[in-house]
Amino acid sequence: MIEAFSAKFAFAPERRYCLGVEEEVWTVSPRSGLLVSAAPRVFTPGYEARIPGFKPELPAQQIDAVTPVCATLADLRAALAKNDATMKALGKEHGFKVCRDPIPPTPFSIEVFPTERYRRIQEQFGERLRGAYVAGLHVHVGLGNTDEAVAVMNSVRLHLPAFLAISARSPFKEDGVSYRSYRYLKYRQMAGETVPPFLRSWLHLGLVAKEHGFLDDPRMCWWAVRASPHGTVELRVCDVQSDIRRTLGIAALFRMLVRIALEGPDPKEDAPASHIADRLLSAAKGRFDVAGYLKRAVKIASHPMFKEERQYIQKLLG
């Protein structure tokens, strides 16, 4: 079992600490500002060669812009700028505008991009699928092997509330409760559990994957941080950002924490997933000291080993 599960992940020591980013954006009508199903017009046969790095997402009104594997944050900055320009050009060609709101304009209907996998998800989730109609920022950092994946997930799970608080930009009020990241609330409706358990080993992850139904397809794991088949650890808790500067800051902070997990002391805190989930909900409501967290992060980044990350993390304070 575990051998087949492990074979689905492309961990590689030579890509350790490399970076990648996925940005989910909406396609909206230039006139009404409402969602339009532009993805089927954009992703026609042969799109992989025409627009490498771009792919459809589950909503037909969404585009996923994926950077190539980047060795440095400077490379990532250039890749994000190129993707942004490409998205604007696609909008001009296909008659839509790019919208970076984490929650789409309303009213909207659920329209799924017509692939077998997405239709299967639609059948599985039913009305819960509305929780998938959110736009997130996913950050990948490359890892060398399965043991590194376990160590990093155990460490980063503790920081999920901070990443949600730092990235929150989808305010909403529901039943008298104000949220700074309503996207997270909607995502949780679909995903259910968003926090991975403390993992004792890679075998333990395989057993959890079997129990939760993603042993055969790790992409069906909806945790806010997960091991990705790309051979990375993937941060999935963030709202999509409005500008490249903040995206780079989040990516830099994530990579710094990954490096600390692998090169620093072994994480000792076996925090229950339910406790982290409670803190995530508090962060979604704006009850998190973002400025204090970032000041501590900048202090950690003053270490010489984080020279590249430091400048981008500092800009998150701006």
Side-chain angles (χ1 to χ4, degrees):
M1 177 198 78
I2 196 63
E3 291 81 7
F5 182 63
S6 301
K8 300 180 186 298
F9 296 84
F11 297 115
E14 64 271 18
R15 292 201 298 272
R16 185 182 291 116
Y17 303 145
C18 286
L19 295 141
V21 162
E22 300 179 51
E23 294 180 293
E24 298 168 347
V25 300
W26 301 106
T27 58
V28 300
S29 165
R31 290 188 176 182
S32 68
L34 299 180
L35 295 180
V36 292
S37 297
R41 301 198 298 269
V42 173
F43 299 109
T44 53
Y47 75 85
E48 297 91 345
R50 293 195 307 272
I51 44 173
F54 288 80
K55 61 180 183 179
E57 261 295 343
L58 190 148
Q61 305 98 324
Q62 197 172 80
I63 288 176
D64 196 8
V66 185
T67 69
V69 176
C70 298
T72 69
L73 284 156
D75 292 341
L76 182 61
R77 180 179 59 198
L80 288 168
K82 182 178 180 181
N83 278 1
D84 189 61
T86 300
M87 283 189 282
K88 290 176 181 175
L90 288 172
K92 187 175 181 180
E93 178 182 355
H94 295 283
F96 66 85
K97 288 182 65 175
V98 170
C99 173
R100 287 178 170 269
D101 291 340
I103 299 292
T106 53
F108 65 95
S109 60
I110 291 178
E111 295 182 40
V112 172
F113 190 85
T115 67
E116 181 181 348
R117 176 172 179 259
Y118 290 150
R119 284 170 173 157
R120 189 169 66 249
I121 292 174
Q122 184 180 32
E123 292 176 3
Q124 177 181 346
F125 286 92
E127 184 57 28
R128 283 171 57 202
L129 192 70
R130 194 168 290 278
Y133 268 62
V134 293
L137 166 69
H138 299 181
V139 184
H140 294 258
V141 174
L143 299 175
N145 54 57
T146 56
D147 289 340
E148 291 181 1
V150 169
V152 170
M153 288 179 65
N154 282 341
S155 182
V156 170
R157 68 197 283 273
L158 303 172
H159 297 270
L160 289 173
F163 278 107
L164 178 58
I166 289 166
S167 68
R169 51 179 302 268
S170 50
F172 194 80
K173 192 168 185 177
E174 182 180 67
D175 298 330
V177 179
S178 296
Y179 295 92
R180 290 191 66 241
S181 178
Y182 192 62
R183 178 204 62 85
Y184 174 73
L185 199 70
K186 299 298 290 182
Y187 178 75
R188 195 180 65 162
Q189 291 175 4
M190 184 203 74
E193 296 178 358
T194 58
V195 182
F198 186 89
L199 299 171
R200 297 185 298 273
S201 64
W202 184 257
L203 175 60
H204 182 205
L205 175 59
L207 294 172
V208 173
K210 183 178 181 180
E211 178 184 353
H212 289 264
F214 62 88
L215 184 69
D216 294 330
D217 186 357
R219 297 173 301 171
M220 296 297 287
C221 171
W222 308 108
W223 292 336
V225 60
R226 71 179 184 183
S228 166
H230 295 296
T232 65
V233 59
E234 181 184 1
L235 180 70
R236 301 167 52 84
V237 76
C238 297
D239 286 7
V240 69
Q241 297 298 286
S242 60
D243 61 78
I244 290 173
R245 174 184 61 86
R246 292 196 59 82
T247 298
L248 286 167
I250 291 168
L253 179 60
F254 184 42
R255 188 170 74 169
M256 183 177 78
L257 293 175
V258 171
R259 295 178 68 184
I260 290 172
L262 296 183
E263 300 177 38
D266 291 336
K268 303 296 183 184
E269 187 177 352
D270 181 1
S274 59
H275 290 187
I276 300 173
D278 288 344
R279 290 167 57 203
L280 272 167
L281 187 57
S282 293
K285 296 175 181 177
R287 300 170 186 170
F288 188 94
D289 181 11
V290 176
Y293 183 90
L294 286 175
K295 287 178 181 177
R296 293 191 294 273
V298 169
K299 185 175 181 180
I300 295 170
S302 65
H303 192 284
M305 72 181 292
F306 302 124
K307 181 180 179 181
E308 186 184 15
E309 289 90 349
R310 185 185 315 135
Q311 60 175 311
Y312 297 101
I313 295 172
Q314 287 174 334
K315 290 177 181 178
L316 273 176
L317 287 170

